Amino acid sequence: MKKSLLIAAALLVSAMAFAKDYLYPVSGSISVLKNKANTLYVQFDYTQATVEGINFFEWQKARGEEWVRDWPSEEAGIRDYFIKYFNKKNKKGAAIVSDPSLATHKMIITPSMIDMGNTGGAFVPGFNPKSGGAVLWGTVEILDNRTGETVLVLKMDEIRGNSGYSETIRLKLAVYDLAGELAGLK
């Protein structure tokens, strides 16, 4: 009995040693996300992002004019998906609002690198659902709208979404995971 407890404890300690924080504070306090009195307006800033080693917007152009044409509505859908899931998961804390004039804070999500994943994981039953999902690296910054001060900076490190049939769906699922990570910060 003692031996199995020791083995279980050793396994738990080793699992914790390899556990990874995918989203962690660089500066400031996460209390801004936990305060129900706060409201956030969110914007995504893709200007610093690279995909396959090239600027996100250049990558879009290489994907074709349909991709470039459709991106504004796709990005709005990704943003709405993020907002809906964050608000659902963070009911006891700050909420994201769609009108910037109603927000006490501004959340800026700035991917620095995006791996768009691949469709392979979507077709192979029994594999990890995150196989082939999009992956995000970058920062999340929260500014106080009254003072303009940055009150929280978080680092995104391999936020990985589930696999999906299209790049847009995979990016949406990665942003969904980001919303869950933000809401679950302690």
Side-chain angles (χ1 to χ4, degrees), residues 94-114:
I96 297 175
V97 295
S98 57
D99 182 350
S101 68
L102 300 176
T104 59
H105 294 80
K106 181 181 196 178
M107 177 188 292
I108 304 168
I109 299 170
T110 308
S112 59
M113 188 169 66
I114 304 170

Side-chain angles (χ1 to χ4, degrees), residues 63-82:
R63 303 297 290 164
E65 69 180 56
E66 279 185 32
W67 181 279
V68 173
R69 181 195 66 219
D70 294 345
W71 174 247
S73 65
E74 296 288 355
E75 197 276 336
I78 289 167
R79 186 178 171 279
D80 290 344
Y81 197 66
F82 173 85

Side-chain angles (χ1 to χ4, degrees), residues 11-150:
L11 288 172
L12 181 61
V13 169
S14 67
M16 288 171 52
F18 289 105
K20 180 174 180 168
D21 288 331
Y22 297 99
L23 187 67
Y24 53 91
V26 174
S27 65
S29 170
I30 62 166
S31 64
V32 68
L33 294 171
K34 301 304 173 189
N35 185 343
K36 193 158 180 69
N38 291 336
T39 53
L40 306 163
Y41 178 76
V42 67
Q43 79 179 51
F44 286 81
D45 177 2
Y46 295 95
T47 58
Q48 304 301 313
T50 62
V51 179
E52 299 173 3
I54 60 174
N55 175 273
F56 180 69
F57 299 105
E58 293 300 317
W59 177 84
Q60 282 186 338
K61 287 178 188 172
R63 303 297 290 164
E65 69 180 56
E66 279 185 32
W67 181 279
V68 173
R69 181 195 66 219
D70 294 345
W71 174 247
S73 65
E74 296 288 355
E75 197 276 336
I78 289 167
R79 186 178 171 279
D80 290 344
Y81 197 66
F82 173 85
I83 291 169
K84 183 178 179 180
Y85 189 63
F86 178 86
N87 286 342
K88 179 180 177 182
K89 291 302 240 180
N90 204 45
K91 287 181 182 174
K92 294 181 181 180
I96 297 175
V97 295
S98 57
D99 182 350
S101 68
L102 300 176
T104 59
H105 294 80
K106 181 181 196 178
M107 177 188 292
I108 304 168
I109 299 170
T110 308
S112 59
M113 188 169 66
I114 304 170
D115 177 340
M116 288 297 203
N118 59 64
T119 57
F123 294 109
V124 182
F127 270 18
N128 181 341
K130 294 195 180 288
S131 295
V135 186
L136 301 172
W137 292 265
T139 59
V140 177
E141 183 178 15
I142 299 180
L143 307 165
D144 185 318
N145 282 345
R146 294 166 292 225
T147 64
E149 269 186 60
T150 299

Side-chain angles (χ1 to χ4, degrees), residues 128-179:
N128 181 341
K130 294 195 180 288
S131 295
V135 186
L136 301 172
W137 292 265
T139 59
V140 177
E141 183 178 15
I142 299 180
L143 307 165
D144 185 318
N145 282 345
R146 294 166 292 225
T147 64
E149 269 186 60
T150 299
V151 293
L152 177 62
V153 177
L154 300 158
K155 175 109 169 121
M156 292 187 292
D157 190 15
E158 292 185 43
I159 300 290
R160 182 179 303 272
N162 288 354
S163 185
Y165 298 115
S166 74
E167 290 154 328
T168 304
I169 290 171
R170 291 191 297 272
L171 185 55
K172 188 182 275 190
L173 292 170
V175 167
Y176 177 87
D177 276 19
L178 172 59

